[in-house]
């Protein structure tokens, strides 16, 4: 039986998704994604020349400290990706490590995506693509084997939900002709203002255990649950801030010898909501480490998340 689809806007917010006992605030955002890479020079070439990141700062290797670089959008102080060099780090085999599957760079408009596609084609770099119903997406693989999604969202007025409140996803072919037409004669000049980290996608060993950490304890809503071997979770009605899948179940967890996700950042609106999220995770039995930047929690597969607060209490 085919499920009847409804416009996203036809359901109230409380009817969209599966809600945990205590939800995250609707105004969360994803912060810096920290990656360990084998060669900083090689990765900087890819992230700047191919993806269009701007180099915000760079540190040289010293005794006791590895080389690193912070990347973002030109003219903005917000660090989207931090690369830390780990010479000799093993590349990531396809579906061969539990941990990060991809990080997703969200562009502001369809025209921006068209400019990016034209740019990548001009470089001769392989580009995968898909239409996810709520977004139009492209995929590249970086030199260490990390997948990078570059995408644009459709307006929420164009999203669809089931009568049960599940946001509808798809794996349809991308209308590349239409996306390129949206760009017109504009040329790619690097990541445009307003670009963010839209979501992250993780390889996990169990959807039940993943839901226990990210949904029941941390507080994300489950937005999509009918995909084979995956859950998409988000806050504020977004289609997903995190993808959680078991497509690499049985593979080993990424180790200190591998290129890997060192940590990601989840920014909450204030210290109270941050501390409450950390307390829920700790009460559920997960490791939560206090640091000067904020508490860092670790999921069952060693994926670490820094919980940050946009505003701190007055002293």
């Amino acid at each position: 039986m085919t499920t009847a689809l409804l416009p996203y806007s036809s359901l109230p917010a409380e009817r969209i998704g599966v809600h945990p006992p205590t939800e995250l605030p609707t105004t969360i955002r994803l912060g810096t994604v920290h990656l360990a890479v084998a060669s900083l020079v090689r990765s900087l070439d890819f992230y700047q020349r191919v993806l269009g990141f701007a180099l915000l700062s760079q540190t040289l290797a010293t005794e006791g400290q590895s080389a690193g670089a912070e990347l973002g959008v030109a003219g903005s102080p917000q660090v989207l990706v931090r690369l830390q060099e780990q010479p000799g780090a093993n590349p990531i085999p396809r579906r061969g490590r539990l941990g990060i599957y991809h990080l997703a760079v969200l562009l502001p408009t369809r025209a921006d995506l068209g400019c990016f596609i034209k740019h990548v084609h001009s470089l001769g770099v392989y580009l995968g693509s898909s239409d996810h119903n709520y977004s139009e997406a492209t995929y590249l693989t970086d030199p260490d084997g990390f997948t990078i999604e570059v995408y644009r969202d459709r307006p929420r007025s164009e999203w669809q939900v089931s009568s049960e409140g599940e946001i509808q996803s798809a794996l349809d072919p991308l209308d590349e002709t239409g996306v390129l037409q949206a760009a017109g004669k504009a040329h790619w000049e690097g990541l445009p203002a307003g670009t963010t980290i839209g979501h992250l996608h993780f390889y996990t060993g169990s959807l039940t255990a993943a839901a226990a950490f990210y949904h029941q304890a941390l507080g994300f809503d489950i937005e999509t649950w009918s995909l084979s071997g995956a859950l998409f979770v988000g806050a504020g009605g977004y289609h997903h801030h995190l993808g959680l899948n078991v497509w690499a179940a049985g593979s080993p967890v990424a180790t200190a010898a591998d290129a890997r996700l060192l940590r990601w950042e989840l920014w909450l609106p204030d210290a109270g909501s941050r501390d409450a999220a950390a307390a829920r995770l700790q009460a559920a039995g997960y490791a939560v480490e206090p640091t000067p930047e904020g508490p860092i929690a670790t999921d069952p597969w060693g994926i670490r998340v820094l919980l940050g607060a946009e505003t701190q209490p007055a002293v």
Side-chain angles (χ1 to χ4, degrees), residues 61-218:
T62 60
E63 187 174 347
Q65 179 177 340
S66 58
E70 295 181 329
L71 302 168
V73 177
S76 170
Q78 178 64 46
V79 179
L80 300 182
V81 175
R82 187 182 191 284
L83 303 175
Q84 180 175 313
E85 185 174 59
Q86 184 179 312
N90 299 320
I92 303 168
R94 184 175 182 273
R95 298 191 178 185
R97 294 288 184 275
L98 299 184
I100 191 168
Y101 166 30
H102 67 240
L103 63 92
V105 178
L106 175 58
L107 302 179
T109 70
R110 195 183 201 208
D112 293 324
L113 183 61
C115 287
F116 176 73
I117 290 175
K118 285 195 292 184
H119 160 70
V120 174
H121 284 337
S122 74
L123 297 177
V125 175
Y126 173 74
L127 186 72
S129 63
S130 186
D131 186 325
H132 293 309
N133 195 23
Y134 43 67
S135 68
E136 293 179 304
T138 59
Y139 297 89
L140 304 89
T141 303
D142 88 348
D144 289 279
F146 295 113
T147 299
I148 314 295
E149 177 179 343
V150 180
Y151 75 111
R152 73 100 184 181
D153 276 332
R154 287 190 170 91
R156 293 196 188 199
S157 60
E158 297 179 17
W159 298 4
Q160 294 178 307
V161 293
S162 70
S163 56
E164 291 76 29
E166 181 178 22
I167 298 177
Q168 298 302 293
S169 183
L171 285 172
D172 296 330
L174 179 69
D175 175 16
E176 187 172 299
T177 300
V179 174
L180 292 172
Q181 286 175 346
K185 296 182 179 180
H187 296 288
W188 182 251
E189 296 181 355
L191 293 176
T195 297
T196 62
I197 298 297
H199 65 268
L200 296 165
H201 198 145
F202 301 141
Y203 289 125
T204 75
S206 160
L207 291 185
T208 299
F213 182 93
Y214 291 101
H215 169 62
Q216 293 157 354
L218 184 50

